[in-house]
Amino acid sequence: MALFAIFQTTFFLTLLSLRTYQSEVLAERLPLTPVSLKVSTNSTRQSLHLQWTVHNLPYHQELKMVFQIQISRIETSNVIWVGNYSTTVKWNQVLHWSWESELPLECATHFVRIKSVVDDAKFPEPNFWSNWSSWEEVSVQDSTGQDILFVFPKDKLVEEGTNVTICYVSRNIQNNVSCYLEGKQIHGEQLDPHVTAFNLNSVPFIRNKGTNIYCEASQGNVSEGMKGIVLFVSKVLEEPKDFSCETEDFKTLHCTWDPGTDTALGWSKQPSQSYTLFESFSGEKKLCTHKNWCNWQITQDSQETYNFTLIAENYLRKRSVNILFNLTHRVYLMNPFSVNFENVNATNAIMTWKVHSMRNNFTYLCQIELHGEGKMMQYNVSVKVNGEYFLSELEPATEYMARVRCADASHFWKWSEWSGQNFTTLEAAPSEAPDVWRIVNLEPGNHTVTLFWKPLSKLHANGKILFYNVVVENLDKPSRSELHSIPAPANSTKLILDRCSYQICVTANNSVGASPASVIVISADPENKEVEEERIAGTEGGFSLSWKPQPGDVIGYVVDWCDHTQDVLGDFQWKNVGPNTTSTVISTDAFRPGVRYDFRIYGLSTKRIACLLEKKTGYSQELAPSDNPHVLVDTLTSHSFTLSWKDYSTESQPGFIQGYHVYLKSKARQCHPRFEKAVLSDGSECCKYKIDNPEEKALIVDNLKPESFYEFFITPFTSAGEGPSATFTKVTTPDEHSSMLIHILLPMVFCVLLIMVMCYLKSQWIKETCYPDIPDPYKSSILSLIKFKENPHLIIMNVSDCIPDAIEVVSKPEGTKIQFLGTRKSLTETELTKPNYLYLLPTEKNHSGPGPCICFENLTYNQAASDSGSCGHVPVSPKAPSMLGLMTSPENVLKALEKNYINSLGEIPAGETSLNYVSQLASPMFGDKDSLPTNPVEPPHCSEYKMQMAVSLRLALPPPTENSSLSSITLLDPGEHYC
Amino acid sequence: MDLRAGDSWGMLACLCTVLWHLPAVPALNRTGDPGPGPSIQKTYDLTRYLEHQLRSLAGTYLNYLGPPFNEPDFNPPRLGAETLPRATVDLEVWRSLNDKLRLTQNYEAYSHLLCYLRGLNRQAATAELRRSLAHFCTSLQGLLGSIAGVMAALGYPLPQPLPGTEPTWTPGPAHSDFLQKMDDFWLLKELQTWLWRSAKDFNRLKKKMQPPAAAVTLHLGAHGF
């Protein structure tokens, strides 16, 4: 028992001691302290990389441990980050851990320390933290050299939208440092006197050449240095969109996608994102050379399913997109080929094509589109390799375009591209009779029928119309039909038929055949029915026509119309109306305002004979008259005149002429009866008279005043207004008595003429009766008896027996002065050489002669002059001054001469010139008649005067010499001619 | 310095007019041995044309770099662009240069600038910009040939590049992108200054080479305009 007790005590003590030993061992080894802590840096990534080991770890033993890491910045006490790192630690293992700093490591010194604790289930609580390792100082020494300013991080690449911290390190704290982002100053947080950090939140992409940030150190205004960095901001890499793969030959898969934004940056800072295709079943990978498509070679025929991953990647990010598909479900067929048309006729065709064979027993779905005549038809058909489709219900002579595309029928993925071709159907005979109408003109003995037809529409022509056949058949007499073939595109023809009934058939013909015939019957009975024309008012939309139905059976009505003024053939139109319709609206764009259209409505009997029912005429829009009538003034009297414009046509006007407006202007304020006052467009007032009857083309304007001035203007008017304004025509009424004078004067003139004629015829008798000839004593027979006895002493009358009635004085010019009425200067004062004149001074004081003196004409010198029977008696105005002093120049002299001479001629009326003819025998100086020829010199002045009388006005003008002028004025001045 | 693409159409029109009338200028249209005069004139005209062309190109390229490089008053320190040949020179120094030295400096400068410019072309991201740069490089190559022609006409030897000093464009990874942009900026700026200086150089040389009689003829010929 004691032994057992001793054994038990020993065992217990042993166990206790073992336990105590074990506890001591662990107590010695725990906590396991991290040792050999080394810190390295990655400046580009701005990361600290820690590595350490754990001492005292049992051999081949693994322990879960937690490491606490503390990071300080600038100084150890400034802890900026504390974190735990849990891991399983093996014996002799070097542990690694990284930490990324938001601040560039170059900006500040960092300190790192670490401690650990066992966190393993094998060692239950309590566990103790080890002691801190010593601080490891981390400093990136890039701020070397002589520079005084540094900016970090250098040329960093970040993604758009990230936050970036930059800093500058200034060696000299005295410097004032300013920093700029893209030219704009930024403000930061000072970490220590040398370092300032700037937080840039969510940096944007500006350009692929990078965002410029620079700092400038200065003292005062002096720049001490400048440093800058370029921050490369990349656009965010997008996930590829619309990624899909397909095959058209089961040999190649063609994969496409939308790459999105290109994230390339300048200076090769980041190339464009790369794309890689990865197929998971085969494990194959392919780097794509294009940014939006890639071809994948199908190597294994057995692989039906593919799982593709498209990976887009740049320096900052990786994106991927995945598709899983069965190869047979992604078949994109090549477009069909050998598209042809067989058995093409007027309405049908067979379309054939081929499909690129993919695999055996493949069924294709094909879609056919047929385009023609502005319509599109679509058909689907299932085919194997050779496709065929029967195209029916086609239009003849029509060009169609047919195209086809195909797809895999079992697993529709997408249609192939189209393959198409054009084809044209053949022609067919025209399907409808041409619309035919006619105009029948009655001429003596025959009809002239002008046939019109409308060209067939393309739908009914079924090809190109080549000609029209017109068959004329006489219904009254059995005879052969006449065939007229009119080549297209003519649309009318003229037939001259006799007075029989005829049936006319018109067909349109193309290369295949003729259309159904259009039949018209021309009745032998002419259309002599008088139908009154009715006026209708059109609108801009056209004419609304209605008519009374034709009695009896009708197969329809025809309305034809043409321009009222134009040639019928030029603008002839018609419209067919059904038998139960008695009204229609003729609307066409061809209706022009101001043009009158004539409509005729025919009823067509069952025998196809047309019967004129009604005539209508009207304008789609009436316009005011375009011209005014030419007005004639008739029967102009002192109280009235008549205006007429008979030539004015009311038919060819741009509207129905409703009447005329007569405008009359006169000096009288009041208008004549029937006229009313009106104001013209120019504001002037006048009188207006309205004629409501368009056929009344004359107007008598009466109640006028004689010798008065009137103006009139006549213009027609329609419902749209009156004609253009024009000038007024002027009329002056004649004098009231002028007609009376004419009535009196004409007979009187006639009577006088009659008397004169009679007097001429009876002149001899009158002469003998009224003034018989007076006998001349010199011609007396007694004289002849005296001469015969030759007695020289025979004198009929002695001079001494005569009492002279004038004294003849011959004046001596020297020293003599003659005064002319006291105001006249003496001639001798100015002209001493003036020849003497012969003055006849009356002896009787009461002499009442016409002038102060009489110039005697010596008839001896110029017999011709004496025959004129006038002598220069010129009365002298006492006021007339001597003109010599005024006319110093030859021109003046000439003018004066001419004027004076004309005046002198004019001032000598023949009736007023009184001459006292003195017998030359009575002159005491020339008492002897025989002595006259012996004294040709005396008096020379009279000869000058006579010459004046003999020359004409033109010849009297002297030559333009000074001397001659002077001499002429001396001679011709009437003032100088006083005798 | 204003590197923006500004109102340059007037300048272009003027240049075109000058070019159009060049054959009519008697001083430049003499028969016989023309001497270096015509080639100097052509070099001068090409320089002015390149000045105009660069104005447009620089505007586009600096906009492509972004602010602050396209700002008109941006005048950064010349960092990292030390290898670019400087066009700026003291006026007295410039005056003291002889023709040979002047031409040699021009030739060397454009040889270097052309090399850098080709590097710029390689980095350009847009196709249109690459086309413009390639066109400008071709024109600059032409100018280089013209200068060589003038030098040959005057009997000056072409400068031989020293071994090891061949300018090369290297996209250095250590070279930050900002400094790279700065280099581009300075390259364009130096190019513009060089073209301006060359225009003055060639104008001076042209006047020097012109005989007095030709000047009179030119003066009389000007009445025809």
Side-chain angles (χ1 to χ4, degrees), chain A residues 567-847:
Chain A
D567 179 19
V568 169
L569 295 175
D571 191 21
F572 185 69
Q573 299 285 325
W574 70 94
K575 182 181 180 183
N576 294 305
V577 183
N580 300 323
T581 311
T582 55
S583 67
T584 187
V585 174
I586 309 292
S587 58
T588 167
D589 294 336
F591 287 138
R592 301 186 305 275
V595 176
R596 185 166 160 183
Y597 294 95
D598 292 338
F599 297 88
R600 287 175 297 188
I601 299 153
Y602 294 87
L604 279 178
S605 69
T606 49
K607 292 180 180 177
R608 296 188 174 273
I609 297 172
C611 175
L612 179 62
L613 300 178
E614 291 181 24
K615 279 180 168 179
K616 294 173 192 295
T617 184
Y619 295 84
S620 66
Q621 185 190 345
E622 282 193 66
L623 300 179
S626 56
D627 54 353
N628 293 318
H630 177 65
V631 181
L632 299 173
V633 181
D634 293 334
T635 58
L636 175 65
T637 67
S638 55
H639 291 286
S640 70
F641 57 80
T642 304
L643 304 173
S644 70
W645 54 98
K646 304 288 185 192
D647 295 337
Y648 185 72
S649 167
T650 55
E651 291 296 304
S652 56
Q653 298 300 329
F656 291 120
I657 300 294
Q658 295 179 347
Y660 306 92
H661 287 150
V662 180
Y663 294 95
L664 189 69
K665 280 186 189 174
S666 67
K667 289 181 180 175
R669 294 288 180 97
Q670 294 296 323
C671 285
H672 294 78
R674 301 185 294 164
F675 280 79
E676 59 184 15
K677 278 203 170 182
V679 179
L680 295 172
S681 57
D682 60 355
S684 59
E685 285 190 352
C686 67
C687 299
K688 178 181 174 185
Y689 176 63
K690 187 177 178 183
I691 300 172
D692 288 326
N693 181 6
E695 297 307 322
E696 187 182 326
K697 297 179 183 176
L699 176 70
I700 299 169
V701 184
D702 51 6
N703 293 324
L704 305 178
K705 290 180 181 173
E707 287 185 280
S708 295
F709 180 70
Y710 293 94
E711 289 178 282
F712 67 87
F713 166 58
I714 296 174
T715 181
F717 64 91
T718 66
S719 64
E722 61 182 25
S725 57
T727 54
F728 279 70
T729 307
K730 298 171 179 60
V731 175
T732 305
T733 51
D735 184 9
E736 192 176 10
H737 304 291
S738 60
S739 59
M740 194 188 300
L741 281 171
I742 287 168
H743 287 131
I744 296 168
L745 279 175
L746 279 174
M748 282 181 69
V749 168
F750 180 74
C751 291
V752 167
L753 283 173
L754 193 65
I755 290 166
M756 285 173 72
V757 168
M758 288 184 67
C759 288
Y760 177 75
L761 294 173
K762 298 291 182 182
S763 59
Q764 196 60 36
W765 176 78
I766 291 169
K767 187 180 178 185
E768 289 174 0
T769 308
C770 299
Y771 53 99
D773 286 343
I774 301 168
D776 188 354
Y778 287 101
K779 294 177 181 175
S780 168
S781 56
I782 296 172
L783 281 179
S784 61
L785 290 172
I786 294 170
K787 281 183 180 175
F788 181 73
K789 291 176 181 176
E790 293 182 347
N791 188 357
H793 301 286
L794 280 176
I795 298 170
I796 297 173
M797 187 179 285
N798 198 352
V799 175
S800 60
D801 297 336
C802 296
I803 300 167
D805 53 358
I807 299 169
E808 185 178 317
V809 179
V810 177
S811 65
K812 187 75 173 177
E814 286 82 8
T816 311
K817 289 183 181 177
I818 300 171
Q819 296 293 328
F820 292 96
L821 300 174
T823 58
R824 185 86 182 162
K825 284 188 176 178
S826 169
L827 286 172
T828 54
E829 288 178 4
T830 56
E831 195 173 339
L832 296 174
T833 59
K834 184 174 173 64
N836 296 325
Y837 277 78
L838 182 67
Y839 296 96
L840 297 178
L841 301 176
T843 54
E844 295 177 13
K845 287 181 181 177
N846 56 351
H847 176 75

Side-chain angles (χ1 to χ4, degrees), chain B residues 9 26 33 53 69-70 85 119 126 128 134-135 190 203 208:
Chain B
W9 287 109
D33 180 21
Q53 205 182 348
F69 302 101
N70 59 353
T126 65
E128 190 185 345
H135 178 62
E190 283 297 349
N203 197 36
K208 197 174 173 183

